[in-house]
Amino acid sequence: QVQLAESGGGLVQPGGSLRLSCTASGFTSDDYVIGWFRQAPGKGREGVICIGHSDDRKYYKDSVEGRFTISRDNAKNTVYLQMNSLIPEDAGVYYCAAGFWRGSTWFCSTEGGMDYWGKGTLVTVSD
């Protein structure tokens, strides 16, 4: 059974940085993408960023490109989200998500493109 466990959320001031981690277990195939969605209060989940497990296929939401970086350590089965220059609009519950490769990183932008979800970690950006 696939499990995803997030850590690293918290409170940060605007302009600050935060790093999230997601440790995955239970995959029997290497052909999947893994990344992060976020959900602001009163809004739906939106795909933020993702990376292929075995290569550098990546997806970035336009508003985070240049500020957020995703990386992975396959030896630890862990994916990292480095968030810099945070703004209040980045706040929300961040969910680690993974999905089998469907032919395009576009599927990282939509909930339907993901097959597994973590429980989420809260990121608050405020003074």
Side-chain angles (χ1 to χ4, degrees):
Q1 183 178 359
V2 173
Q3 292 185 326
L4 304 173
E6 306 100 333
S7 62
L11 171 65
V12 63
Q13 292 183 331
S17 298
L18 204 60
R19 190 176 83 156
L20 307 183
S21 300
C22 173
T23 300
S25 61
F27 278 101
T28 58
S29 165
D30 288 340
D31 199 13
Y32 63 90
V33 291
I34 185 167
W36 299 87
F37 279 62
R38 69 185 178 196
Q39 186 168 22
K43 295 186 178 181
R45 289 184 191 178
E46 58 178 4
V48 175
I49 197 168
C50 81
I51 188 170
H53 171 76
S54 304
D55 56 33
D56 287 334
R57 293 169 290 191
K58 291 180 182 176
Y59 163 83
Y60 290 88
K61 182 177 174 60
D62 287 346
S63 62
V64 308
E65 193 160 8
R67 299 188 298 120
F68 289 13
T69 303
I70 190 168
S71 60
R72 65 176 187 267
D73 183 338
N74 287 348
K76 296 181 179 180
N77 292 322
T78 300
V79 171
Y80 303 98
L81 174 60
Q82 178 66 42
M83 303 185 290
N84 299 327
S85 302
L86 283 159
I87 59 178
E89 290 75 15
D90 293 321
V93 179
Y94 279 70
Y95 296 90
C96 182
F100 295 107
W101 178 245
R102 287 170 165 81
S104 170
T105 54
W106 177 86
F107 287 99
C108 294
S109 67
T110 177
E111 289 188 74
M114 296 288 117
D115 300 290
Y116 304 102
W117 295 86
K119 294 181 179 179
T121 185
L122 180 64
V123 172
T124 303
V125 183
S126 175
D127 291 316

